[in-house]
């Protein structure tokens, strides 16, 4: 049996979970999310927890069991607490600022990059070199963070670029170190 799938999902106080035919709707203080559950996965809503079941022990059904348990758990956490990803800009002259609702990035290109986030996502710039992305949908927050990071990926020689907060960039030696090693 799936280790993740068999764990019940705790419903936090202030969160309401509604079940329609194949759809689960989660409402909380931060917003509302819904998803269409796979037909091979069944779910039952009790007083303070949700239990997911599967039709058989086939490999596909076992993987779907754990997947849907994690997705519904993420929805419950999202509408109650929300999700946040932080990005750091490393490099001389690299900075970010909000222009209305759009994020303007100066990343060493000949032009500034303007990024318009989806309406469910909130972007803040506490300092000129940090970006905070928050929202209730974990997948959408991660996707927006990855899109912003893709504008200037961290490079391995000087470490310049956009990186996740606390991300370790493995550094490479430059040409000077290679020339010394050959002598």
């Amino acid at each position: 049996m799936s280790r993740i799938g068999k764990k019940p999902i705790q419903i936090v106080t202030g969160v309401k979970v509604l079940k329609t035919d194949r759809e689960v709707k989660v409402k909380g203080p931060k917003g509302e999310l819904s998803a269409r559950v796979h037909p091979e996965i069944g779910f039952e809503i009790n007083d303070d927890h949700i239990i997911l079941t599967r039709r058989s022990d086939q490999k596909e059904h076992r993987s779907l069991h754990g997947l849907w348990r994690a997705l519904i758990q993420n929805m419950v956490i999202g509408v109650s607490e929300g999700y946040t990803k932080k990005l750091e800009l490393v490099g001389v002259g690299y900075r970010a600022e909000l222009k209305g609702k759009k994020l303007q990035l100066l990343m060493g290109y000949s032009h500034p990059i303007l990024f318009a986030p989806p309406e469910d996502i909130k972007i803040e710039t506490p300092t000129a070199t940090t970006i905070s992305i928050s929202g209730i949908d974990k997948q959408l927050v991660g996707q927006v963070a990855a899109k912003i990071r893709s504008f200037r990926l961290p490079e391995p020689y000087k470490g310049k670029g956009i990186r996740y907060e606390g991300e370790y960039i493995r550094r490479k030696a430059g040409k000077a170190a290679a020339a010394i090693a050959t002598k």
Side-chain angles (χ1 to χ4, degrees):
M1 186 159 200
S2 169
R3 288 186 216 166
I4 294 173
K6 69 182 178 182
K7 292 167 73 175
I9 301 169
Q10 281 296 120
I11 300 174
V12 186
T13 54
V15 175
K16 293 181 182 174
V17 181
L18 303 170
K19 175 185 178 181
T20 57
D21 185 33
R22 294 284 345 138
E23 193 168 5
V24 61
K25 289 185 180 181
V26 183
K27 291 182 185 177
K30 295 216 177 228
E32 178 181 341
L33 292 171
S34 64
R36 247 180 123 60
V37 180
H38 195 278
E40 301 295 327
I41 302 298
F43 62 98
E44 209 175 281
I45 302 170
N46 293 340
D47 298 333
D48 63 340
H49 58 276
I50 305 168
I51 298 173
L52 277 77
T53 57
R54 62 176 184 253
R55 288 195 179 172
S56 71
D57 272 343
Q58 291 179 3
K59 184 174 181 166
E60 181 185 0
H61 294 169
R62 288 195 314 261
S63 63
L64 286 171
H65 192 205
L67 169 74
W68 277 101
R69 192 257 179 216
L71 290 174
I72 295 172
Q73 172 74 31
N74 289 343
M75 290 167 60
V76 170
I77 292 171
V79 298
S80 61
E81 300 169 21
Y83 290 99
T84 302
K85 286 256 187 194
K86 295 188 179 190
L87 298 172
E88 299 171 341
L89 282 67
V90 178
V92 177
Y94 289 11
R95 60 186 185 274
E97 62 179 298
L98 286 174
K99 296 279 186 178
K101 292 197 175 214
K102 293 184 178 182
L103 177 69
Q104 179 180 342
L105 298 167
L106 299 171
M107 302 301 304
Y109 296 120
S110 61
H111 60 283
I113 298 169
L114 283 174
F115 178 74
E119 62 185 48
D120 298 340
I121 298 296
K122 182 181 178 189
I123 294 182
E124 298 172 334
T125 53
T127 66
T129 59
T130 58
I131 304 168
S132 177
I133 304 155
S134 57
I136 60 172
D137 188 353
K138 185 176 186 177
Q139 181 180 354
L140 189 58
V141 169
Q143 193 173 1
V144 168
K147 178 67 177 172
I148 292 172
R149 184 177 181 266
S150 73
F151 293 136
R152 180 69 90 168
L153 293 172
E155 55 98 13
Y157 295 101
K158 293 184 180 179
K160 293 170 36 171
I162 302 174
R163 63 175 78 167
Y164 295 111
E165 184 180 55
E167 180 182 6
Y168 174 74
I169 304 299
R170 195 163 158 195
R171 304 291 291 274
K172 291 183 176 179
K175 289 181 182 178
I180 294 171
T182 59
K183 286 186 178 181

